Amino acid sequence: MNYELTPDDLNKLSLLDAEQRYDYFIQAVADLEKIWILVDEEGFVLVDADEERCIPVWPHAELAELWINGDWAQCQAQAVDIATWLDKWTNGLDGDELAIAVFPHAQEPGVVIGPEEFAETLIEATQDNE
């Protein structure tokens, strides 16, 4: 399922605080079954947030693409389906001691969460949608 954000949607989402964006992210990912990350020629990008190395994630390509500028000008948004995330990324991120910055916005990293807790939340949300 694809869902394209309108400029009005983008504006409304920009007004949400970190917790509201987190809640929106979980529901959108449960519905659309995709997590968006940014990648460049070296792989996925990382940020420092709350004294942790994190992979930033977004619920829609358009939101991830807003970050493609400056140091990340060579990046592109890439979708990871939720099954692949749960099957491969959770253990990989956990093993590399990386956290997840959920739906960062402007100068704020969003909710920073560990891979296992993130996976549990996604599993619960997808089961609620069945």
Side-chain angles (χ1 to χ4, degrees):
M1 172 191 276
N2 285 327
Y3 179 79
E4 194 168 317
L5 294 176
T6 67
D8 191 45
D9 292 332
L10 289 170
N11 186 49
K12 287 177 183 174
L13 291 170
S14 73
L15 300 175
L16 300 177
D17 66 27
E19 286 295 328
Q20 291 169 322
R21 289 194 318 276
Y22 178 81
D23 292 342
Y24 175 85
F25 174 93
I26 295 298
Q27 191 56 57
V29 169
D31 290 344
L32 303 173
E33 300 183 354
K34 290 181 184 172
I35 295 170
W36 290 88
I37 61 172
L38 290 178
V39 297
D40 62 16
E41 65 278 351
E42 297 176 24
F44 60 87
V45 300
L46 294 171
V47 296
D48 290 316
D50 293 347
E51 300 180 21
E52 303 230 26
R53 293 291 288 157
C54 303
I55 181 172
V57 296
W58 294 271
H60 303 285
E62 297 93 335
L63 294 166
E65 289 166 351
L66 291 174
W67 287 70
I68 299 175
N69 59 56
D71 290 344
W72 293 357
Q74 302 304 314
C75 292
Q76 60 186 15
Q78 178 177 305
V80 178
D81 68 82
I82 197 168
T84 300
W85 185 277
L86 295 172
D87 188 45
K88 296 181 180 170
W89 284 75
T90 299
N91 288 335
L93 294 172
D94 198 40
D96 290 340
E97 298 182 0
L98 296 173
I100 300 159
V102 180
F103 196 169
H105 174 64
Q107 299 303 315
E108 192 237 329
V111 171
V112 175
I113 189 170
E116 290 294 330
E117 184 179 351
F118 183 71
E120 290 170 13
T121 303
L122 287 175
I123 290 167
E124 286 176 21
T126 56
Q127 288 172 345
D128 289 347
N129 279 356
E130 293 177 357

